[in-house]
Amino acid sequence: QVQLVESGGGLVQAGGSLRLSCAASGRTFTSNSTGWFRQAPGKEREPVAAITWNGITYYADSVKGRFTISRDNAKNTVYLQMNSLKPEDTAVYYCALTSRPIEILQPGGFYRYWGQGTQVTVSS
């Protein structure tokens, strides 16, 4: 009943920026939280950032100060602004939605709905 579609990925040089979008459709919960995750080759999926229904944000230490998560509830869209990108940021990025409240970054199993992912590649 909920569909999530990521967009905005691509190839960028180190130090550059990208903005990812996650558009939600269907019967989304009003009081939801959205997370961004990434998975690089040979690594496990890891949480990157999350935002609650009322705009509280959480970040992984590896991206703190460089990435910004935001949401526009009127558009049912969540964004991830990625600045000062590094080669180690290269991964497939996924957005996910949960109706459960969060107070910290939560693992993927906490979320019910997932997008298909968008590739981000940062060259050195």
Side-chain angles (χ1 to χ4, degrees):
Q1 291 186 335
V2 176
Q3 296 81 43
L4 303 175
V5 179
E6 302 96 334
S7 62
L11 175 64
V12 65
Q13 293 185 351
S17 299
L18 287 172
R19 189 180 77 161
L20 306 183
S21 298
C22 175
S25 62
R27 296 184 177 181
T28 58
F29 293 99
T30 301
S31 299
N32 67 75
S33 297
T34 302
W36 283 98
F37 295 78
R38 67 187 182 187
Q39 187 165 20
K43 296 185 178 180
E44 295 184 351
R45 180 180 56 189
E46 63 175 349
V48 174
I51 185 168
T52 68
W53 66 272
N54 56 336
I56 307 301
T57 59
Y58 305 92
Y59 297 94
D61 289 341
S62 59
V63 306
K64 194 170 298 182
R66 299 188 297 120
F67 291 9
T68 302
I69 188 171
S70 62
R71 70 189 306 161
D72 186 339
N73 288 335
K75 296 182 178 180
N76 288 325
T77 301
V78 175
Y79 305 95
L80 185 67
Q81 179 66 47
M82 309 164 66
N83 298 327
S84 301
L85 284 163
K86 305 174 181 180
E88 48 264 47
D89 295 319
T90 296
V92 177
Y93 283 71
Y94 302 89
C95 66
L97 183 73
T98 180
S99 62
R100 303 166 66 180
I102 61 171
E103 295 183 354
I104 58 172
L105 284 180
Q106 297 285 1
F110 198 82
Y111 292 80
R112 177 179 297 178
Y113 304 102
W114 292 82
Q116 85 290 345
T118 185
Q119 176 70 47
V120 172
T121 303
V122 184
S123 62
S124 60

